[in-house]
């Protein structure tokens, strides 16, 4: 069926798989109009960070895996750029789609643009204002060279308009909200029993940002803060990203969190993590995705990071970013727990749960209009 439009999705790491799943669900409704393939850079290769997501999110395994693996940004971006370029030259897609702000996002957008294939960026217009932060650099460059940009919030769209990138940009809503609703009934509540947790009686903690893990003093502050929450406020459960696990070993703190009573567990797939968010008392995380998932589930998120990547959530009182030292983190955790229950916030802040459909529709229109 050569007359169907060809869409190539480029992904590589954990946060991209749910976004891919939401768009694929929507595109699946148009089998006569599109043919899809997925290229995975191989940046995330552990089963729990990759394959599990494809299974739980019910999307086919990638058609290509570039096997890029771990390494410097230069290595990951360079190897992905080369690999995706090869796939584009071979399969000749009409449209490339990239997601979020990782090295695969930037490399996919560069490869497509160099091959003169239109690029769509899902989760466009997010800014922290610090170009020395890798994800910010990835976002800014990707937005600049994309031909379509899909925004989770109105603010993201206004940001793009302020950068003279309003043409080709759309407030689609957040694909993460699509997934939150789609999978809510199927979340893995058994994780609470397996981890020995009681509903509404634990703080869910995740830490993975390079800014929090790569520098010893900073990481020690993060760990001290987690121990302080465990000691003074509430049971903490801490699914640990591999980057963070090895960083904790590097500063000789392995075993210390467990000794303090923190439940340290391996990183989790989509359905178990969703269940832990949904039944938590509070979330403590530097993940931009988890901040939104906490909000969708009516939970506040204390962010061990100074940047507000989602100012909308800060304004709604749902995300509390700030300094990373035990006193500041404890004070934000207490403030979050003392606050009245989170109100729903402005209706439709992250769209209506149909972002995937809206993105699919816009892509199909653009493909139909293409010469
Ligand atoms: C990457 C993204 C980040 C995203 C995060 C989600 C970039 C620049 N960073 O960061 O934006 O929020 O994914 O998790 O693209 N490792 C394993 N197994 C794996 C993958 C990694 O053990 O399957 C370990 C390796 O020691 C590796 C380290 O984790 O060096 C960091 O992995 P990497 O993919 O470089 O960055 P992330 O921190 O995961």
């Amino acid at each position: 069926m050569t007359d169907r439009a060809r869409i190539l999705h480029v992904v590589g790491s954990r946060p991209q798989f749910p976004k891919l799943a939401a768009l694929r669900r929507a595109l699946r409704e148009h089998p006569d109009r599109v043919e899809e393939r997925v290229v995975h850079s191989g940046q995330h290769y552990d089963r729990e960070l990759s394959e599990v997501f494809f299974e739980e999110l019910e999307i086919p395994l990638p058609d290509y895996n570039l096997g890029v693996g771990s390494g410097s940004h230069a290595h990951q971006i360079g190897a992905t750029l080369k690999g995706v370029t090869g796939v584009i030259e071979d399969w000749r897609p009409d449209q490339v789609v990239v997601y979020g702000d990782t090295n695969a996002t930037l490399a996919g957008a560069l490869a497509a643009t160099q091959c003169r294939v239109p690029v769509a960026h899902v989760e466009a217009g997010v800014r922290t204002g610090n170009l020395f932060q890798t994800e910010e650099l990835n976002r800014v460059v990707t937005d600049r060279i994309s031909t379509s940009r899909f925004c989770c919030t109105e603010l993201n769209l206004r940001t793009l308009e302020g950068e003279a990138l309003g043409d080709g940009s759309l407030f689609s809503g957040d694909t993460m909200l699509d997934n939150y609703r789609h999978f809510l009934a199927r979340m893995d509540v058994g994780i609470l029993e397996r981890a020995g947790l009681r509903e509404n009686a634990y703080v869910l903690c995740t830490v993975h940002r390079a800014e929090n893990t790569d520098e010893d003093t900073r990481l020690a502050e993060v760990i001290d803060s987690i121990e302080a929450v465990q000691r003074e406020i509430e049971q903490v459960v801490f699914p640990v990203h591999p980057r963070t696990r090895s960083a904790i070993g590097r500063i000789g703190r392995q075993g210390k969190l467990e000794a303090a009573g923190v439940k340290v567990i391996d990183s989790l797939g989509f359905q178990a993590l969703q269940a832990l968010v949904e039944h938590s008392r509070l979330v403590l995380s530097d993940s931009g995705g988890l901040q939104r998932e906490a909000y969708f589930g009516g939970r506040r998120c204390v962010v061990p990071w100074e940047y507000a990547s989602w100012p909308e959530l800060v304004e709604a009182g749902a995300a509390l970013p700030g300094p990373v030292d035990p006193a500041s983190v404890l004070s934000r955790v207490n403030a979050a727990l003392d606050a009245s229950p989170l109100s729903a916030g402005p209706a439709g802040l992250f769209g209506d749960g149909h972002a995937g459909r809206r993105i699919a529709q816009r892509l199909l229109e653009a493909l139909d209009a293409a010469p």
Side-chain angles (χ1 to χ4, degrees):
M1 295 273 295
T2 49
D3 53 347
R4 287 187 298 167
R6 292 181 166 187
I7 298 183
L8 180 70
H9 307 268
V10 181
V11 291
S13 61
R14 181 173 67 173
Q16 294 170 321
F17 308 137
K19 294 161 199 162
L20 168 71
L23 182 52
R24 290 213 74 174
R25 274 200 307 279
L27 286 169
R28 223 163 37 203
E29 293 170 12
H30 305 277
D32 50 329
R33 294 175 71 186
V34 285
E35 191 181 352
E36 298 174 79
R37 288 194 186 173
V38 174
V39 53
H40 185 321
S41 70
Q43 179 173 342
H44 281 179
Y45 42 86
D46 283 349
R47 194 181 136 67
E48 311 74 59
L49 292 188
S50 183
E51 215 177 315
V52 163
F53 285 80
F54 286 81
E55 289 167 11
E56 292 188 359
L57 294 161
E58 300 169 334
I59 40 174
L61 287 171
D63 301 276
Y64 310 87
N65 191 315
L66 304 176
V68 161
S70 301
S72 65
H73 297 310
H75 159 70
Q76 288 178 333
I77 293 168
T80 307
L81 173 57
K82 189 165 177 224
V84 175
T85 302
V87 172
I88 292 174
E89 285 170 355
D90 181 49
W91 191 53
R92 306 215 159 268
D94 303 294
Q95 173 77 60
V96 167
V97 186
V98 298
Y99 300 84
D101 54 17
T102 75
N103 289 338
T105 315
L106 175 62
L110 287 172
T113 306
Q114 282 165 352
C115 295
R116 301 187 182 205
V117 178
V119 191
H121 183 203
V122 174
E123 210 176 285
V126 182
R127 298 287 184 270
T128 60
N130 178 5
L131 267 184
F132 293 117
Q133 193 213 335
T134 305
E135 284 82 0
E136 178 78 351
L137 183 60
N138 290 345
R139 287 191 286 260
V140 168
V141 178
T142 300
D143 280 338
R144 177 66 187 79
I145 63 179
S146 292
T147 44
S148 325
R149 289 163 291 268
F150 297 104
C151 301
C152 297
T153 68
E154 297 260 21
L155 177 63
N156 298 155
L157 179 60
R158 286 203 299 277
T159 300
L160 292 174
E161 286 165 352
E163 295 177 10
L165 293 174
D167 281 355
S169 301
L170 176 77
F171 167 42
S172 57
D174 189 356
T175 53
M176 304 267 293
L177 180 59
D178 298 19
N179 286 318
Y180 172 78
R181 300 220 175 126
H182 188 81
F183 290 105
L184 194 57
R186 277 181 279 166
M187 63 187 168
D188 176 12
V189 284
I191 182 67
L192 270 84
E193 201 183 323
R194 296 201 298 281
L197 297 166
R198 283 183 304 114
E199 209 168 305
N200 280 320
Y202 62 88
V203 171
L204 168 64
C205 171
T206 78
V207 175
H208 77 283
R209 282 189 186 278
E211 292 86 348
N212 275 336
T213 59
D214 286 6
E215 204 263 308
D216 292 3
T217 318
R218 172 74 176 212
L219 178 61
E221 295 264 49
V222 173
I223 301 299
D224 288 345
S225 301
I226 298 171
E227 283 181 6
V229 174
Q230 169 72 37
R231 190 174 55 243
E232 298 191 24
I233 299 183
E234 185 57 283
Q235 174 66 56
V236 177
V237 59
F238 184 21
V240 193
H241 185 287
R243 171 197 278 279
T244 313
R245 193 177 284 284
S246 60
I248 291 173
R250 188 188 72 227
I251 63 166
R253 297 282 289 263
Q254 66 274 54
K256 303 267 170 54
L257 281 167
E258 289 93 330
V262 174
K263 289 183 189 288
V264 180
I265 59 178
D266 286 339
S267 66
L268 296 169
F270 181 80
Q271 291 172 355
L273 196 61
Q274 187 175 18
L276 282 191
V277 173
E278 198 68 16
H279 295 289
S280 67
R281 198 170 161 213
L282 183 80
V283 175
L284 172 64
S285 174
D286 62 6
S287 153
L290 217 51
Q291 284 177 49
R292 275 129 72 205
E293 288 173 319
Y295 175 72
F296 303 151
R299 268 56 186 167
R300 289 176 207 274
C301 182
V302 170
V303 185
W305 204 39
E306 293 78 359
Y307 294 94
S309 34
W310 297 95
E312 305 87 336
L313 291 180
V314 180
E315 202 172 310
L320 294 83
V324 184
D325 61 83
S328 313
V329 170
L330 281 178
S331 121
R332 295 205 298 289
V333 168
N334 278 320
L337 292 176
D338 289 347
S340 48
L342 198 53
S343 64
L349 189 56
F350 287 88
D352 59 2
H354 296 291
R357 278 214 179 120
R358 210 159 281 118
I359 296 168
Q361 199 54 44
R362 178 59 76 93
L363 289 180
L364 290 170
E365 283 163 16
L367 286 163
D368 282 349

